[in-house]
């Protein structure tokens, strides 16, 4: 179960991002939904808030929601973006495997489901604002780990 979510609209994906989704969906476990037809969530409100803010323009308002989803496993979000780097076929296969069956302790995990029940909206207050700095540090740690594993 995940505590909050940010909706990701796939209609506006760049060709590069569509290619990454195609790569990740090829050979995904049978019990996992297609990334192209799912809702994404994070397990911590501050991660959801950090990511949501990074995707916004100043004109948009961010809404976070506590929700329930049927999810089996979180997937390291940093690896999705990391696939845009120049990598060998072997590295790409390793990332594919690590994304669907994580063996490392990643901070930013995305949970995928085709169904979500919204429980309530999460208030963006000073306490949540203060946690965004630690979330940024954790995101950087995930990036450093990916860089170390897949140089």
């Amino acid at each position: 179960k995940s505590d909050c979510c940010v909706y990701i609209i796939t209609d506006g994906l760049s060709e590069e991002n569509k290619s990454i989704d195609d790569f990740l969906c090829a050979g995904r476990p049978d019990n996992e939904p297609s990334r192209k037809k799912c809702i994404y969530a994070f397990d911590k409100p501050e991660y959801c808030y950090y990511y949501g803010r990074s995707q916004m323009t100043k004109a948009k308002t961010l809404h976070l929601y506590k929700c329930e989803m049927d999810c089996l496993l979180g997937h390291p979000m940093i690896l999705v973006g990391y696939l845009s780097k120049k990598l060998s076929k072997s590295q790409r296969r390793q990332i594919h495997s690590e994304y669907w069956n994580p063996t490392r302790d990643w901070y930013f995990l995305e949970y995928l489901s085709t169904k979500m029940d919204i429980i309530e909206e999460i208030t963006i207050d000073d306490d949540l604002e203060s946690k965004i700095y630690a979330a940024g540090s954790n995101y950087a740690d995930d990036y450093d780990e990916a860089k170390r594993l897949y140089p």
Side-chain angles (χ1 to χ4, degrees), residues 21 24-40 69-73 75 99-100 110-115:
D21 272 356
L24 285 172
C25 283
R28 77 178 187 280
D30 291 338
N31 59 350
E32 291 287 352
S34 168
R35 290 180 45 82
K36 298 175 186 180
K37 298 178 182 178
C38 69
I39 302 164
Y40 299 81
M69 296 170 50
D70 293 327
C71 304
L72 298 176
L73 185 65
H75 307 285
Y99 178 81
W100 289 113
E110 56 184 17
Y111 293 82
L112 290 67
S113 183
T114 56
K115 183 180 154 197

Side-chain angles (χ1 to χ4, degrees), residues 6-8 48-64 124 129 132:
V6 171
Y7 291 98
I8 307 299
C48 186
Y49 185 46
Y50 177 85
Y51 181 74
R53 278 189 29 182
S54 76
Q55 301 300 302
M56 292 175 45
T57 64
K58 292 180 182 179
K60 295 181 182 177
T61 302
L62 179 63
H63 295 273
L64 307 180
I124 299 173
E129 284 278 354
I132 196 168

